[in-house]
Amino acid sequence: MSTVIKPKHIGRNISRIRELRGMKQEALAIAIGVSQQSVSNIEGSETIDEEKLKAIAEVLGVSTEVIKNFSDEAVFNIIGNTVNNHDNASFFQYQPTFNPLDKLVESYEENKKLYERLVQAEKDKNEYLEKLLKGK
């Protein structure tokens, strides 16, 4: 049984970091001055020359060492260690910084005021029309 460690797939690491940054291949291609197909080929390659790697790292906002040593497990470990509540279900719940009932009451009061203004405008319009009719 061989215990030889398989080398990191640099292209796959670039692809994952690019995706985590929310960047498309086209955007990376434009930033480093190559075609989108070239970026696709780079991401399919196990090795990349240092000059291209430096350019890509600069665009992605990371060092070349981060690209070389990137692993999904490390990302998940960082997320797992920085979240205080380890209940993943509550990790994705939205916690508003205001009381929703207060906002509901506030909107109700504002709607009430707008309705009162609308009723008053209709009364004023009717009075004006009555004056016009009496004047004829």
Side-chain angles (χ1 to χ4, degrees):
M1 176 182 268
S2 175
T3 58
V4 176
I5 298 174
K6 188 176 177 183
K8 297 270 185 177
H9 193 288
I10 302 298
R12 193 174 301 125
N13 292 351
I14 290 171
S15 175
R16 291 292 295 137
I17 293 170
R18 178 184 56 74
E19 290 168 354
L20 288 170
R21 294 273 188 203
M23 183 182 283
K24 294 196 176 282
Q25 281 185 343
E26 294 86 16
L28 180 59
I30 291 168
I32 63 173
V34 297
S35 69
Q36 181 270 329
Q37 185 61 41
S38 295
V39 171
S40 179
N41 291 338
I42 289 169
E43 290 180 354
S45 303
E46 283 192 30
T47 59
I48 298 167
D49 66 78
E50 281 297 314
E51 193 174 311
K52 278 186 186 174
L53 187 61
K54 285 180 185 177
I56 292 169
E58 187 177 327
V59 170
L60 293 176
V62 297
S63 70
T64 56
E65 290 303 312
V66 168
I67 293 174
K68 290 177 184 177
N69 298 320
F70 178 82
S71 74
D72 288 327
E73 293 83 21
V75 172
F76 290 124
N77 285 338
I78 290 169
I79 292 170
N81 291 333
T82 56
V83 175
N84 292 334
N85 185 353
H86 293 289
D87 179 11
N88 289 335
S90 66
F91 180 67
F92 295 105
Q93 289 181 353
Y94 172 68
Q95 298 294 326
T97 57
F98 57 87
N99 186 344
L101 291 176
D102 289 343
K103 290 291 184 182
L104 182 64
V105 170
E106 183 180 309
S107 67
Y108 173 76
E109 293 297 326
E110 189 172 328
N111 282 344
K112 184 176 172 183
K113 289 177 186 176
L114 289 172
Y115 180 75
E116 290 171 354
R117 283 180 34 203
L118 179 64
V119 169
Q120 185 60 43
E122 286 295 319
K123 286 180 183 178
D124 293 344
K125 183 173 77 172
N126 285 339
E127 287 177 16
Y128 178 71
L129 290 173
E130 287 177 6
K131 285 182 185 178
L132 284 177
L133 287 174
K134 288 180 183 176
K136 287 187 177 184

